[in-house]
């Protein structure tokens, strides 16, 4: 499969960059992609300005893409994970998965379902081209 990776990231307010990067690195390792570049980070618009998120994206030289909460529901059916609390709040099973798919664009595919580590969730999607 060709295309670039998108890291979908969900965080709680105040999450440190080191925690975000640790979760991302774990997701990459689980997917068999350890060390692969993730040129785009996708997260909720309400979390895109968080200091830890901004620092994590800068650390990896990644574009930080803010996804409006309302855009997530378009990807609800494609989510592999279904956390009841997240479904109730955002209408999707996984913010990380839906955000990654939203930014991956048409034909994008989930390559690593959401993993959770402490205050962070991460999923990986690949763009179609």
């Amino acid at each position: 499969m060709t295309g670039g990776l998108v890291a979908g990231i969900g965080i709680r307010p105040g999450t440190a960059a080191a925690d975000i990067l640790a979760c991302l690195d774990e997701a990459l390792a689980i997917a068999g992609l350890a060390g692969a570049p993730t040129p785009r980070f996708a997260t909720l618009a309400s979390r895109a300005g968080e200091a830890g998120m901004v620092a994590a994206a800068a650390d990896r030289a990644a574009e930080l893409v803010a996804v409006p909460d309302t855009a997530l529901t378009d990807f609800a059916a494609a989510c592999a994970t279904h956390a009841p609390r997240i479904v109730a709040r955002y209408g999707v099973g996984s913010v990380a998965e839906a955000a990654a798919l939203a930014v991956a664009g048409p034909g994008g595919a989930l390559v690593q379902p959401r993993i959770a580590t402490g205050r962070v969730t991460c999923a990986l999607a690949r763009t179609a081209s």
Side-chain angles (χ1 to χ4, degrees):
M1 185 180 252
T2 62
L5 286 176
V6 176
I9 301 172
I11 62 169
R12 292 186 180 166
T15 300
D19 294 334
I20 295 166
L21 294 173
C23 187
L24 171 58
D25 289 342
E26 185 174 334
L28 287 166
I30 291 168
L33 299 167
T38 48
R40 290 186 285 168
F41 284 12
T43 194
L44 290 172
S46 61
R47 299 291 191 257
E50 286 279 331
M53 184 67 76
V54 172
D59 183 83
R60 298 295 168 93
E63 175 188 5
L64 182 54
V65 182
V67 179
D69 294 6
T70 55
L72 295 177
T73 57
D74 293 342
F75 300 91
C79 288
T81 306
H82 294 90
R85 181 179 68 83
I86 300 304
V87 171
R89 184 161 184 187
Y90 297 105
V92 296
S94 167
V95 166
E97 291 174 10
L101 289 166
V103 173
L110 196 62
V111 295
Q112 175 58 53
R114 174 192 69 89
I115 67 161
T117 59
R119 301 170 54 88
V120 185
T121 61
C122 184
L124 302 170
R126 188 177 301 279
T127 61
S129 57

